[in-house]
Amino acid sequence: MQVEVIEPHGMCAGVNGAIAKALALAKARPEGDRSPIYCLHELVHNEIVIGELRDLGFRFVERIGEVPRGATVVFSAHGVPPQVRAEAERRDLKVVDATCPFVARVHRSARDFAEKGMEVCVLGDPAHAEVRGIVGEVEAAGGRALAGPAGAAAAKKAGGAAPLGVVAQTTMNSDEVERAVAELARARRVKTMAKVCGATKERQDAVRRFCRGAGPGAAVLVLGSKTSSNTRRLAEVAEECGARAFTAGAMDELSRLDFAGVERLGVTSGASTPERFFMEAVRSLRRVPEHVAIIMDGNGRWAKARGKNRGAGHRAGAKTLERVLDWCGERGIRYLTVYAFSTENWKRPKAEVDGLMALFARMLKTKERDFVANRVRFRMVGRRGDLSPKLLSIVESLERKTEAFERQLIVAISYGGRAEIVDAANAAVARGEQVTEETFRRHLYAPDVPDPDLVIRTSGECRVSNFLLWESAYSEYWFTDTLWPDFSEADFDSALASYAERDRRRGGV
Ligand code: FPP
């Protein structure tokens, strides 16, 4: 099955803004403050986001009356009716309004229509929080709202000369909105501001484009929660275009889907689906490793073959590393660990060692901007005490500046697998611990990083050379004769293709 990412997909600006407001609130709480932060309705309709906010102390309620007097309450991205705002004021609540700006615009249009004395037809699902908010806005302005399919039917039937204001839930199927407005306009005079939001429309159009070009074996997988209207609409759009549609809100749901008979699978996601779930899902569908580790070998031989000094080989190798980091990003590989300098490499001539240390310092300093722009977290594993104070301060400053990012480049410098095990053992002994595999792992240099799935070694050498001895216990290995500076995208894809075909039994059957 060929797996294709449908672009654009995923989070829209309104959802991003709402989540940023909620996270800022949680962050601003004084240390140790465990009092709940209330959110009226789910902030956005995504179970992963809601689960994470619950872990941060958010409590989700459906009625404003459930929020204790004086507490902080967040209004969800779907917006609230004015009656709720008034009640929040009466109850002295500290309000943080995370309403999507596009939804707020629909509220304003609906109110304008109502204030001009028009009946307002609200296209959408009358039970959805967004539609309830818009209906409340119309009613607060003294108007009459006709919501949902029944409301639209009543508005058509009534006919007459009085103009009808038409607005729509921002996450509807854009074709359906156009059809509904056209039908209403045939029955009576309409003034409309019924448009789905731009991001929703772009994502739906991208699914339409994918389905148009795809053959009979094509299907669309929409990643997002069943409670999310725009997620359900994306699946509907695919089905309208004749493709099979699948939906999954989390990895366990994805693992239960049966893609038998699907030759091309387009993957998209709803406007509230976190990108890291999207990446994890695509990776598992394509059988792409989460963590690739590389022994970047052959710089010296590459340089010698060209009559250059070894430093030139290492500089060319550093360029290859930059390219490989990009390829990892494009393929959804979250962790890349590279062996840049081993505990044994200190035995090399001083000029080469000094040249390598200067290259590390230069590269880490000049690439800082790229790490931040590409949202890559940099980490070092190895014996930090062996580094010069200057290099260590460059390393640690870059680590601090990038620590919030999800994708990671982990560089092993003055690293040895045996040294790491000895260091971890000593840390455990110092704490008087009787270790198990799990507790021992906590003392490794990067304990939170999952073990490498695939270890690549270039230059024709088929040995482990003291690299990730603990972590690579069940890694798949792939060797190539290519020298590291010549390692190409085709080589990388060959390694990934080989990995995708392997049956990782991890000692089982
Ligand atoms: C092994 O080739 C390579 C190294 C010891 C250095 C690798 C370092 C880089 C590619 C630079 C990376 C830069 C950063 C900032 C991480 P070799 O010298 O053993 O080659 P040979 O076996 O042909 O002699």
Side-chain angles (χ1 to χ4, degrees), residues 10 35 49 51 65 82 85-86 101 124 135 161 177 230 281 285 296 315 359 420 427 437 439 447 459 508:
S35 59
V49 175
R85 288 181 197 280
V135 167
V177 170
N230 75 85
L285 288 163
M296 312 180 287
R315 286 194 294 280
L359 175 63
E420 182 177 26
E437 286 191 18
T439 61
S459 90

Side-chain angles (χ1 to χ4, degrees), residues 349-362:
K350 186 172 181 315
E352 182 176 349
V353 170
D354 289 349
L356 270 168
M357 295 299 144
L359 175 63
F360 298 153
R362 210 169 45 246

Side-chain angles (χ1 to χ4, degrees), residues 295-303 310 313-319 321 338-342 345 348 352 356 359-361 363-364 378 409 411 413 457 459 461 483-484:
I295 303 175
M296 312 180 287
D297 198 7
N299 295 346
R301 278 163 283 168
W302 181 91
R310 296 178 61 82
H314 295 315
R315 286 194 294 280
K319 292 260 171 261
L321 172 56
V338 291
Y339 205 6
F341 194 90
S342 72
N345 287 152
R348 292 190 174 199
E352 182 176 349
L356 270 168
L359 175 63
F360 298 153
M363 189 169 161
L364 300 185
F378 169 82
L409 170 66
V411 179
I413 306 176
R457 181 166 188 156
S459 90
E461 311 291 1
L483 302 175
W484 176 247

Side-chain angles (χ1 to χ4, degrees), residues 180-217:
V181 173
E183 269 186 47
L184 284 166
R186 274 196 291 276
R188 57 192 287 188
R189 198 146 64 88
V190 297
K191 288 215 183 291
T192 178
M193 216 303 276
K195 273 200 203 109
V196 302
C197 98
T200 300
K201 182 164 167 32
E202 278 175 11
R203 282 150 185 72
Q204 292 173 359
D205 286 345
V207 169
R208 290 186 184 103
R209 273 196 305 279
F210 170 82
C211 293
R212 221 174 285 135

Side-chain angles (χ1 to χ4, degrees), residues 9-11 15 42 44-50 203 220-235 245-254 257 266-279 281-282 285:
H9 66 263
M11 282 203 182
V15 166
E42 290 189 342
V44 295
H45 289 146
N46 184 272
E47 66 207 69
I48 300 170
V49 175
I50 295 305
R203 282 150 185 72
V220 172
L221 168 65
V222 188
L223 297 169
S225 295
K226 303 239 177 337
T227 48
S228 155
S229 160
N230 75 85
T231 297
R232 291 198 306 268
R233 296 296 84 78
L234 287 169
F246 299 87
T247 310
M251 287 306 288
D252 58 334
E253 243 180 277
L254 178 63
L257 295 177
V267 191
T268 182
S269 59
S272 48
T273 306
E275 186 63 11
R276 64 185 176 286
F277 167 48
F278 185 89
M279 278 173 74
V282 170
L285 288 163

Side-chain angles (χ1 to χ4, degrees), residues 37-45 50 54 59-68 73-76 78-81 84 87 93 126-130 132-133 227:
I37 302 173
Y38 289 85
C39 184
L40 186 59
H41 198 67
E42 290 189 342
L43 182 75
V44 295
H45 289 146
I50 295 305
R54 276 209 177 97
R59 195 170 289 173
F60 297 92
V61 295
E62 284 306 316
R63 288 181 310 108
I64 195 76
E66 294 173 63
V67 183
V73 65
V74 182
F75 290 158
S76 82
H78 317 96
V80 296
V84 166
E87 178 65 15
L93 303 182
H128 192 282
E130 184 182 327
R132 283 189 273 131
T227 48

